[in-house]
Amino acid sequence: MKKMSLNVNGAWRQFIVEPDYVLLDLLRNDLRLTGTKQSCDRKGQCGACTVIVNGKAVRSCLTKVASIEGANVITVEGLGTPQNPHLIQEAFVISGAVQCGFCTPGMIMAAKALLDKNVNPTVEDIKKALRRNLCRCTGYKKIIEAVQLAGVFFRGELTPDQVRPDPKQGPIGVSHPRPSGMIKACGVAEFGADIHVAGSAELAAVHSPYPHALIKAIDTSVAENMPGVIGVMTAKDIKGTNRLKHTVPDRPILCDQKVRFIGDPVAVVLAETRDQALAGVQAVKIEYELLPVMMNPEDALAEGASRIDPDHPNLCFVQPQIRGDAETALKESAAVVETDFSTQTNHQAPLEPETCISYLEKEDGDLPTLVVIGRSINIHFHLGMLQDALGYENIRYEEAYSGGQFGMKVDVTSEGLAAAAALHFKRPVRYIPSLRESMWLTPKRHAFKMKVRLGADARGKLTAYAIDFTVNNGAYTSNGKAIINRALLMLSGSYYIPTIKALGQLVYTNTAWGAAARGAGAPQVNYALESAVDMLAVKQGIDPLEFRLMNSLRPGQPKSTGRVVEQWPLPELIEAIRPHYNRARKEAAEFNLKGHPVKRGVGLGTGSFGIGGPGDTATASVELDPDGGVTVFAAAADPGEGNDSMLTQIAAHLMNLPMDKIRLATRTTDRTTATGPAAASRITYMVGGAMVDAIHKLKTAMGEANAATAEELRAAGKPTRYLGTKKNEDAGPLDPKTGQGPSFESQVHAVQLVEVEVDTSTGEVRVIKMTTAVDPGRVIHPKNLEGQLEGGMDMGVGFALREKYVDGQTKDWTSFKFPTISHSFEMETIVRETPRVKGPLGATGVGEMTMVPTAPAVMNAIENACGARVRHLPATPDRVLEALAEAKR
Ligand code: FES
Ligand code: FES
């Protein structure tokens, strides 16, 4: 132990610490300065824990307190408060650099250390200073702009008041600061790990080290007697079904008979401290009988393969799609491309670990309420899953501020374990899993294998598309069937293809289970289609842009599902990208004249992404408050997209109120009705649409009663709260034989232009610039729109070139190959606003859009640069070199 002092945020403090105690723990645990975050497992990989020590940005997880005696420490809380923010905090919020906000305090501290020395940094200076800070949401562009803007403030050239949008500009189409932006920038928004419940114990789980095994025996006796251990819980202690049913009741909270993938949870240890719980985990002895392992669909479908799920065959779902006679059309086509593609299993990679807090409320009452505070994007659905699995009705789910999710949180994860333990041990439980555990606890993006044939006539008009795709569903079902269906719903992408022959197959394996991941099936099949489109255009000697324009679907034509579309503003987007395409082609051609081994290429990709789904329904309520303001009740999760802005700005516009008179009640099941997941890019279109309906009802009632206030409404005998709904009437499943049937009510469209450099000697690919032309309908908040597009482009490039989740190998951000600010590239957004006929104020959704065409656009650019066609993602240097060698053969 050592007694020492530090100056923390301007005040001298004394501490007595062990030699190895790190600054992150001192700040978070002893001083409750929880603005400083932890994402990686204290390996210096994430930068979320960055603070300033003696003027330098340091990672507090790597800084031993004993080594900085007398130091001056500044955390994000030492800069400013929401009422009196620091200029850098202002710059981050104004620039739209705060989405989920989990990386933000660390980014701000790294930026401060830079700006304190250099008030006019270049982009390269900023990239260097922030190179250790990861962000998954923003694509880094707006973070760089925020640091530049802070420099402008520091230099006295402008003030925040001169830059911040004037509220008088009106709510719609203006980038007003997000309602939650400043509390995140100041580090006071509470994420799960920041919430302390008095008397809480810490949880750690025992995860299977084997991908497939029977559980023969569990011995908890040693662990139960370890210091600090409160108890060990296994499946037998769970009173309900112990099955978390998304579509099929197959995934246990704790495995009872067998484990199906590496990381499957088998037991939990509850202890006074997390270290004690982890020590207890090591002492739990489990006897396994190993079973045959099937890590890919080929093995799982092999003759004689054993079943992974006892109740279902390994081939668990099959859906064809047939439209016309594609075989004959392919035979009669002037040109056909026939090839195969594959995409990898991938992690959605939100920065925040998979935290959950759970406790029993009103323990003296008849039936205590089990409170679950987690990262859900569908609190009512998850509430129902937990009720069945735990056998306990009286549950309230609360959404904490959440550090991103990107589809991953369509499933209950850590909540099952934490809530079961809180119920069983009757102690408040904090479950703050490590990054490695968080990877085990969560579903992944499905890997696809696709065999493709695409045909066109002599003029280059598409004639037929045939695709067989096999999807690795992993160990449990989740929403795997929806992934197949969504892939088929968007199979023909942006094009009119007269004949279709497709077969989607879903296969259980012993990998991590698959679920939603930004785009959910569309990025995988669009990669195949858009690559094949480019290959066919090249084969026919037609410019890829002209080929796409000629084949774009037009209003009145059907998609692969047979549904005729009413609006399809894709040709206009192709025209909008044309001058950028011409400029990029010219520059690339000039660059390549130099004869370097580094070649420049230009690629295109298009995407037309369906919002919500057939039959989708949402609800939202609005209430006229006593002071004339309005409260919006809607369980619309906001893990960083900006749904809080959207609801606030639309409501303010329609009610003709200032935005601070709009209150949101969105994060708890006991104040809201179910309104579906924050997934499928649906919240603006569906929940925004439901809120517009509710406001219409409220205004109608106010008009009928001639009432301007809640009091007058009540005096007229009318309620002050109104429920609105939004429903996609085109409902029902696809035909099981033909895959024809209902579709989306609205689509968002984009054309993406990518410029790359390929080093043909090493296979390294560098994205230089990406330009996206997008039509999202009416724009509510331009910076939030750009933020979604930029984040999707960055994630799409990660998917295209780097990232991969390998069971048993991917364990942290380094092995995952998380894209850093050093990989970031120039981005430009061109927006067209075609009002959507049934969208709220003409808007539609956009969150997943740029994830869909990015990977094929990058692959098309690589081929354009050097002739290498990469057919298996990610396009690592080895694969690029292989493709280059193949192209030369
Ligand atoms: S927690 Fe310190 S770098 Fe990740
Ligand atoms: S805003 Fe950076 S990780 Fe979410």
mmCIF file of all heavy atoms in Angstrom, residues 38 40 44-47 49 59 61, ligand 1:
data_model
loop_
_atom_site.group_PDB
_atom_site.id
_atom_site.type_symbol
_atom_site.label_atom_id
_atom_site.label_comp_id
_atom_site.label_asym_id
_atom_site.label_seq_id
_atom_site.Cartn_x
_atom_site.Cartn_y
_atom_site.Cartn_z
ATOM 1 N N GLN A 38 -14.655 2.295 -20.162
ATOM 2 C CA GLN A 38 -13.826 1.138 -20.478
ATOM 3 C C GLN A 38 -14.524 0.320 -21.547
ATOM 4 O O GLN A 38 -15.661 -0.111 -21.359
ATOM 5 C CB GLN A 38 -13.606 0.263 -19.237
ATOM 6 C CG GLN A 38 -12.796 -0.984 -19.566
ATOM 7 C CD GLN A 38 -12.591 -1.914 -18.386
ATOM 8 O OE1 GLN A 38 -12.773 -1.518 -17.235
ATOM 9 N NE2 GLN A 38 -12.221 -3.142 -18.669
ATOM 10 N N CYS A 40 -12.264 -1.881 -24.055
ATOM 11 C CA CYS A 40 -11.427 -3.083 -24.198
ATOM 12 C C CYS A 40 -11.113 -3.625 -22.811
ATOM 13 O O CYS A 40 -11.439 -2.998 -21.803
ATOM 14 C CB CYS A 40 -10.154 -2.747 -24.964
ATOM 15 S SG CYS A 40 -8.954 -1.761 -24.051
ATOM 16 N N GLY A 44 -5.331 -1.215 -23.593
ATOM 17 C CA GLY A 44 -4.874 -0.041 -24.340
ATOM 18 C C GLY A 44 -5.382 0.001 -25.762
ATOM 19 O O GLY A 44 -4.823 0.699 -26.608
ATOM 20 N N GLN A 45 -6.467 -0.718 -26.064
ATOM 21 C CA GLN A 45 -6.919 -0.826 -27.453
ATOM 22 C C GLN A 45 -8.027 0.155 -27.826
ATOM 23 O O GLN A 45 -8.288 0.358 -29.002
ATOM 24 C CB GLN A 45 -7.447 -2.245 -27.715
ATOM 25 C CG GLN A 45 -6.398 -3.322 -27.583
ATOM 26 C CD GLN A 45 -6.995 -4.709 -27.659
ATOM 27 O OE1 GLN A 45 -8.200 -4.881 -27.518
ATOM 28 N NE2 GLN A 45 -6.142 -5.688 -27.860
ATOM 29 N N CYS A 46 -8.762 0.701 -26.833
ATOM 30 C CA CYS A 46 -9.979 1.444 -27.187
ATOM 31 C C CYS A 46 -9.879 2.949 -26.971
ATOM 32 O O CYS A 46 -10.554 3.715 -27.643
ATOM 33 C CB CYS A 46 -11.177 0.906 -26.409
ATOM 34 S SG CYS A 46 -11.156 1.311 -24.647
ATOM 35 N N GLY A 47 -9.103 3.382 -26.024
ATOM 36 C CA GLY A 47 -8.975 4.821 -25.751
ATOM 37 C C GLY A 47 -10.168 5.430 -25.032
ATOM 38 O O GLY A 47 -10.173 6.630 -24.746
ATOM 39 N N CYS A 49 -10.894 5.205 -22.115
ATOM 40 C CA CYS A 49 -10.498 5.556 -20.744
ATOM 41 C C CYS A 49 -9.527 6.725 -20.707
ATOM 42 O O CYS A 49 -8.916 6.976 -19.671
ATOM 43 C CB CYS A 49 -9.855 4.331 -20.091
ATOM 44 S SG CYS A 49 -8.311 3.862 -20.912
ATOM 45 N N ARG A 59 -3.951 6.627 -21.321
ATOM 46 C CA ARG A 59 -5.015 5.641 -21.139
ATOM 47 C C ARG A 59 -4.996 5.233 -19.672
ATOM 48 O O ARG A 59 -4.004 4.660 -19.203
ATOM 49 C CB ARG A 59 -4.790 4.463 -22.082
ATOM 50 C CG ARG A 59 -5.157 4.812 -23.519
ATOM 51 C CD ARG A 59 -4.525 3.911 -24.525
ATOM 52 N NE ARG A 59 -3.101 4.163 -24.620
ATOM 53 C CZ ARG A 59 -2.253 3.428 -25.328
ATOM 54 N NH1 ARG A 59 -2.693 2.378 -25.987
ATOM 55 N NH2 ARG A 59 -0.969 3.709 -25.359
ATOM 56 N N CYS A 61 -6.418 3.044 -18.023
ATOM 57 C CA CYS A 61 -6.388 1.618 -17.678
ATOM 58 C C CYS A 61 -4.966 1.098 -17.611
ATOM 59 O O CYS A 61 -4.718 0.042 -17.031
ATOM 60 C CB CYS A 61 -7.199 0.796 -18.675
ATOM 61 S SG CYS A 61 -6.442 0.681 -20.307
HETATM 62 S S1 FES B 1 -9.995 0.542 -21.357
HETATM 63 FE FE1 FES B 1 -8.143 1.657 -21.537
HETATM 64 S S2 FES B 1 -7.638 1.546 -23.634
HETATM 65 FE FE2 FES B 1 -9.418 0.328 -23.434
#
